[in-house]
Amino acid sequence: MKKFFSKRAIAVIFAIFLALFLIRPQVGHMHVKIADLLSWELGRPVDISSVHIRFLPRPGLELENFAIHDNAFGAEPILRSPDVTAWLRLSSLLRGRIEISSLTLSDASLNLCRDPEGKWNIEELVVRAARSSTAPTSSGRKEPRREFPYVEADHARINFKNGMEKTHFALTNAEFALWQESENEWGVRLRASPIRTDANLTDTGVISVEGKWQRSVVLQNTPVQFSWEWKQAQIGQVSRLLFGSDKEWRGDVHASGTVSGTLGKSLLKADASIDELRRQDVLTRGDLQVAAHCAAEYDATERTVANLDCSAPAGDGSVELKGRLSATAGVRYELMLVAKDVPAQSALGLVRQVKENIPADLRATGNVNLSLAIDRSAPAEPLRFSGEGEVLGTRLVSTSTGAELPLGTVPLRFISITPKTSGPKSSVRRAGVSGLPELQVGPVSAALGRTTPAQAQLVISRAGYKGLIRGEATLKQLMPTAKILRFPLPEMSADGTATFNLALSHNWGDTTSPVTGSAELRAVRAQVRGLNAPLQIHRADLRIDTDAVRVTNLQASAGQTNWRGTLQIPRPCAAPESCEFQFQLRAPEVTAASLNQLLNPATAKRPWYRRLGLGSAHSFFSRASASGTIAIGQLVLGRATCKEFSGDVELKEAKVTIKSIRGEIMDGRAAGTLNADFSKRPPVYAGNGTFEDIALTKIDNLMGTKWADGNALTRYHFTSAGWSVRDVLEAAQLNASFDIKDGVFPHITLAEDADPLQAKSFSGELAMQKGQLSFKRARLDSESGAYDVSGTATLEGTLNLKMTGEDLSGYNISGTLAETHVSPFPAPPTQAALKP
């Protein structure tokens, strides 16, 4: 029986404990009494919809829909929580009192409101707590006074309001706690993520705050000691959080600081750093780190920040910001920014993270010293910026090429841009926005091989930069300088002079930095891949626009050819194969021999290592794309001359097409199309066209013997390959049709003492292969009869022809053009016919 009752007793006890855990009886109208009690304690209206009692794990009360109101700052409660657990102090219950040891708020919403006079809605609560006589939280001693409860919350949200209107700022996922540390000291702890309600932000980081304040009857005299930290934030998201828009900077932000003193007057200290700082359009992550330490005195009554002192190390130098700010009746500034002995390489590192494509091998020597004053004495006035400085011993060096650009002392000057400000017409156009500062760099001079140095000036603003570069330079000095500054110039070894007047412009959000202006080239001698002789530009005028570079008054020569004309190169043009340039060129005279000497790689003198195949050169013409027209007064083709030659030329990937060929040759006219593929080894050629009214006597002059007279019409199509003329002729395959009118062949006589052969017409088809001509379906009409002509002839003039008449008799023609042999062959015997 004892065993049975013991089991039943255990079961009853267990059931009682389970009931105490699960059952939470509602306490009638007790929620009204508790709300009235809290209203009296806080001095604010408190609402509670219901109260439940908890017994285990310890006695407590569960308050539903808990809210603290403050009608003076709006209808929205200061604090709202749907579920609050108030744990009761057991020792107080034993003494017959009800005291709350801790309050736990779930999903709370705290509204911090500030009125137009700058007063916060929680100030009265702080003063009321300071005036009350409460024992410290968890003092551990028996106190006749009630102890200040430990207040904590999780998954809370803290909103900020100006008067009746909520701001866009809030703290989410907040965890905070409040307690009384000692007799006269309270403590607080907060951890939350900042958000902006009108934007979808992700990487704003986490803010942590820990602090203490002491009891004071006067709020402004309340001693405070706070520390804070902001980590895991990305600067682009932080700029959207603070300013509402992305300022297009990237980097990891970490900041921390302390606040000490009183609520009225406090000392502020902060340390901030940004790792891998760069502009958004700079895709390469850099190692630029910016760090600064600041200290200042804050007067809450005057709303001023005085004795501001910020410093940031930079190499062996530093950047400092000093001054004061005031927010009384508007914001006023009195600031001074000073940079002392900042290495120019550090400044270049910042520029590299601001603008893409700054060469990685570029180094800068020298030290930057400057001062900038920022002032606004009245709220209605715009900010005024004034200051100047210099970069001493400036030198830009390319470590990969060894090229140097000494600049000496570079002056710096800050200027304010207001709606009334306007500079002289000769100055650099304004790059900034009204009311914002601009940094004027220069003017600076650089000796580039001429007696008159080149000058440059740059204006940098928040929007971008603009600049001017003008002067004279030799190309030997200009080309390395252009490589250092990444100006888009073609790769070539050149000498000569250039006079230029260039304008630079770039907006930070753009991917291109167009250079515009004009330039003049004189006496330029350049080595260009693909040409066997130097290119000499006697004169060229360049107009550089945003969409193209236009070259006019071009006078150039290469080898024994002289050209005049115009060029147009589209922009941007990162490589020859990525864009197509247009041209119009004219030469008074060009010989085929000179062109072959200029363009044929077989005639070039190559070093031994290239002959052995240990090196190779990529010709400009193998990658370029171009189209245009050429006109040649006299095109000399061996002993022949084509006058007024013209054609439409297309060049793409070493393939040349000349269309609409026109010219006057051998008292006749030539027309056709020519294709040449230089990407193959050897080059491959193909063409078709016509020769009209060609005088055969002119062909006689070319061949050195008079073998024909009359006018000829020829239509042809050919293919061939080879480097030399001989190779091309030997590999040529030709199909042509010809028609000769009133032809006379002085070396051909069909009978002894007869006149030379005269042909009213001689037409047919002609084929050539391996240097040998074959006549097909050829017919010759003469006074002595009509003949079918067949046989072959070589390019050297060897003949093996047969003229066959209608009666199958004819003549064999052999020998050469100079010594032609004609021999008749008998007709086949006739057959007798039977008389009827």
Side-chain angles (χ1 to χ4, degrees):
M1 288 296 292
K2 291 182 178 180
K3 185 176 181 180
F4 173 76
F5 282 112
S6 62
K7 288 184 177 180
R8 187 168 59 181
I10 292 173
V12 171
I13 293 172
F14 177 78
I16 292 173
F17 270 93
L18 182 62
L20 292 176
F21 267 109
L22 298 179
I23 299 174
R24 299 180 299 157
Q26 184 172 349
V27 188
H29 297 286
M30 187 177 179
H31 65 284
V32 178
K33 296 180 180 179
I34 295 177
D36 292 340
L37 178 62
L38 291 176
S39 298
W40 180 84
E41 289 282 351
L42 299 174
R44 306 290 174 90
V46 175
D47 282 343
I48 301 174
S49 62
S50 63
V51 176
H52 298 267
I53 298 177
R54 295 196 64 166
F55 298 101
L56 293 177
R58 53 177 173 158
L61 301 174
E62 290 189 356
L63 314 179
E64 293 185 357
N65 298 324
F66 176 79
I68 301 176
H69 296 276
D70 188 354
N71 296 330
F73 285 83
E76 194 170 8
I78 297 176
L79 179 65
R80 183 199 300 273
S81 177
D83 187 7
V84 177
T85 300
W87 300 108
L88 302 179
R89 185 170 286 110
L90 186 59
S91 59
S92 299
L93 292 176
L94 296 177
R95 295 196 302 269
R97 292 192 310 180
I98 297 179
E99 290 187 15
I100 298 175
S101 63
S102 65
L103 286 172
T104 302
L105 292 80
S106 298
D107 300 319
S109 176
L110 175 63
N111 294 306
L112 299 180
C113 183
R114 181 181 178 184
D115 64 14
E117 286 74 30
K119 183 179 179 181
W120 290 90
N121 57 354
I122 62 171
E123 290 185 12
E124 187 177 340
L125 295 177
V126 175
V127 173
R128 193 176 185 90
R131 293 174 179 174
S132 64
S133 177
T134 56
T137 303
S138 303
S139 62
R141 296 179 299 175
K142 293 183 179 180
E143 290 273 358
R145 301 170 299 169
R146 61 182 179 84
E147 295 182 4
F148 191 90
Y150 183 86
V151 182
E152 62 180 351
D154 58 3
H155 300 96
R157 179 187 177 100
I158 302 176
N159 303 304
F160 297 91
K161 299 176 62 178
N162 278 327
M164 308 290 273
E165 184 178 354
K166 277 188 178 180
T167 67
H168 298 298
F169 303 102
L171 299 176
T172 61
N173 297 322
E175 300 175 1
F176 65 82
L178 175 66
W179 66 95
Q180 186 172 344
E181 182 75 18
S182 62
E183 184 68 28
N184 296 313
E185 190 176 71
W186 281 262
V188 67
R189 181 171 54 247
L190 169 67
R191 178 184 172 89
S193 298
I195 66 167
R196 189 179 176 97
T197 57
D198 59 347
N200 184 19
L201 305 180
T202 54
D203 299 327
T204 56
V206 177
I207 295 177
S208 300
V209 179
E210 289 189 13
K212 299 177 182 179
W213 73 90
Q214 297 180 9
R215 190 188 304 270
S216 177
V217 178
V218 180
L219 181 65
Q220 298 297 325
N221 296 334
T222 301
V224 294
Q225 182 70 45
F226 282 88
S227 63
W228 58 273
E229 183 182 29
W230 192 353
K231 60 183 180 179
Q232 301 175 5
Q234 197 273 334
I235 191 171
Q237 296 287 285
V238 171
S239 65
R240 290 189 65 190
L241 173 70
L242 299 179
F243 306 108
S245 62
D246 192 340
K247 301 304 179 181
E248 300 181 349
W249 287 92
R250 296 295 178 265
D252 300 323
V253 180
H254 181 271
S256 61
T258 61
V259 180
S260 60
T262 65
L263 290 179
K265 292 183 179 182
S266 55
L267 176 62
L268 311 179
K269 292 183 179 180
D271 291 279
S273 64
I274 304 175
D275 293 331
E276 298 182 348
L277 177 65
R278 61 182 176 87
R279 291 286 297 181
Q280 176 185 1
D281 51 324
V282 178
L283 302 181
T284 305
R285 285 186 173 268
D287 56 356
L288 180 63
Q289 182 182 36
V290 178
H293 172 77
C294 291
E297 298 175 359
Y298 177 67
D299 190 324
T301 305
E302 300 294 333
R303 299 180 65 184
T304 60
V305 176
N307 297 323
L308 175 65
D309 187 358
C310 295
S311 62
D316 295 332
S318 63
V319 179
E320 296 181 351
L321 178 65
K322 299 178 182 294
R324 60 182 281 120
L325 300 92
S326 175
T328 305
V331 181
R332 295 176 174 85
Y333 299 88
E334 294 179 16
L335 300 175
M336 177 65 70
L337 177 68
V338 178
K340 184 179 180 180
D341 295 332
V342 175
Q345 183 63 29
S346 299
L348 179 62
L350 177 60
V351 175
R352 185 175 281 117
Q353 301 309 317
V354 170
K355 187 180 185 303
E356 187 71 277
N357 297 327
I358 298 296
D361 66 330
L362 185 61
R363 296 292 182 268
T365 62
N367 290 324
V368 181
N369 294 281
L370 62 85
S371 61
L372 170 63
I374 307 172
D375 178 70
R376 180 161 69 182
S377 58
E381 294 182 359
L383 283 173
R384 292 190 298 271
F385 298 86
S386 61
E388 58 184 15
E390 58 187 4
V391 187
L392 300 174
T394 311
R395 181 183 296 269
L396 300 179
V397 180
S398 174
T399 57
S400 61
T401 64
E404 295 186 3
L405 178 61
L407 298 176
T409 300
V410 179
L412 306 173
R413 180 169 172 263
F414 289 94
I415 50 180
S416 291
I417 302 303
T418 63
K420 297 180 180 179
T421 302
S422 60
K425 294 183 179 180
S426 60
S427 64
V428 179
R429 290 184 300 169
R430 298 306 188 193
V433 182
S434 175
L436 296 179
E438 294 180 346
L439 173 61
Q440 179 177 297
V441 182
V444 63
S445 299
L448 299 178
R450 302 292 291 173
T451 56
T452 304
Q455 286 194 334
Q457 181 177 331
L458 193 67
V459 172
I460 304 173
S461 73
R462 194 180 72 172
Y465 65 80
K466 290 182 181 292
L468 288 177
I469 302 177
R470 57 163 63 95
E472 293 183 73
T474 63
L475 292 186
K476 281 189 175 180
Q477 293 287 336
L478 186 61
M479 299 294 284
T481 301
K483 289 182 179 180
I484 290 176
L485 301 178
R486 281 293 176 96
F487 280 1
L489 291 181
E491 288 283 345
M492 62 180 177
S493 174
D495 193 10
T497 62
T499 303
F500 46 86
N501 188 353
L502 305 177
L504 315 178
S505 177
H506 177 75
N507 293 325
W508 299 127
D510 296 343
T511 57
T512 59
S513 304
V515 179
T516 59
S518 61
E520 297 178 1
L521 302 181
R522 298 291 185 270
V524 175
R525 180 184 175 90
Q527 296 290 341
V528 181
R529 287 181 176 178
L531 297 182
N532 298 332
L535 173 65
Q536 300 187 55
I537 301 176
H538 309 293
R539 174 179 178 175
D541 297 335
L542 282 67
R543 189 175 82 249
I544 306 170
D545 299 325
T546 56
D547 61 334
V549 176
R550 295 172 174 84
V551 183
T552 59
N553 298 323
L554 175 64
Q555 300 177 22
S557 62
Q560 300 177 9
T561 60
N562 298 308
W563 297 92
R564 293 175 178 266
T566 62
L567 294 174
Q568 180 170 307
I569 305 172
R571 299 182 67 195
C573 185
E577 61 270 20
S578 64
C579 54
E580 179 178 314
F581 64 90
Q582 289 81 41
F583 60 87
Q584 292 181 341
L585 299 175
R586 181 174 182 83
E589 182 177 301
V590 175
T591 66
S594 65
L595 284 180
N596 181 67
Q597 187 70 26
L598 179 66
L599 300 175
N600 191 343
T603 65
K605 296 181 179 180
R606 295 179 294 171
W608 64 270
Y609 55 84
R610 289 189 178 171
R611 290 198 299 270
L612 293 176
L614 300 179
S616 63
H618 297 283
S619 169
F620 170 82
F621 300 103
S622 68
R623 298 179 294 143
S625 297
S627 63
T629 62
I630 58 172
I632 301 174
Q634 292 190 106
L635 176 60
V636 181
L637 304 169
R639 295 182 181 179
T641 300
C642 180
K643 297 180 180 179
E644 300 302 327
F645 175 87
S646 65
D648 299 331
V649 182
E650 294 181 1
L651 170 64
K652 189 173 182 63
E653 297 178 353
K655 297 177 182 178
V656 179
T657 300
I658 306 178
K659 300 179 180 179
S660 303
I661 295 176
R662 295 287 185 271
E664 299 175 2
I665 187 170
M666 292 179 285
D667 294 344
R669 299 177 300 279
T673 299
L674 175 64
N675 298 298
D677 187 353
F678 293 99
S679 64
K680 294 184 168 60
R681 295 293 185 267
V684 176
Y685 308 94
N688 60 80
T690 61
F691 291 100
E692 294 185 63
D693 296 330
I694 300 300
L696 298 182
T697 55
K698 299 295 183 179
I699 300 179
D700 288 347
N701 297 334
L702 297 179
M703 304 187 68
T705 179
K706 187 175 182 180
W707 65 275
D709 193 3
N711 294 321
L713 168 65
T714 302
R715 295 180 174 86
Y716 65 90
H717 173 77
F718 81 94
T719 59
S720 187
W723 288 114
S724 64
V725 175
R726 180 180 294 275
D727 295 339
V728 171
L729 291 176
E730 289 180 354
Q733 295 186 11
L734 172 71
N735 292 290
S737 63
F738 65 92
D739 187 3
I740 300 175
K741 300 295 185 182
D742 300 326
V744 178
F745 304 93
H747 294 277
I748 300 177
T749 56
L750 301 182
E752 191 175 351
D753 298 330
D755 293 331
L757 177 63
Q758 296 184 7
K760 296 179 181 178
S761 67
F762 180 25
S763 61
E765 296 180 0
L766 194 65
M768 184 176 73
Q769 191 170 12
K770 295 182 179 180
Q772 182 172 276
L773 298 170
S774 301
F775 289 88
K776 298 178 181 180
R777 291 185 289 276
R779 185 174 181 83
L780 186 148
D781 292 329
S782 66
E783 293 181 354
S784 60
Y787 299 91
D788 292 330
V789 180
S790 60
T792 62
T794 65
L795 294 177
E796 289 77 13
T798 302
L799 303 176
N800 184 13
L801 301 175
K802 179 181 289 188
M803 295 174 55
T804 303
E806 294 179 353
D807 58 356
L808 301 183
S809 63
Y811 303 89
N812 289 319
I813 301 175
S814 59
T816 65
L817 292 176
E819 297 181 4
T820 305
H821 303 290
V822 179
S823 59
F825 58 85
T830 58
Q831 297 182 356
L834 296 176
K835 293 183 180 181

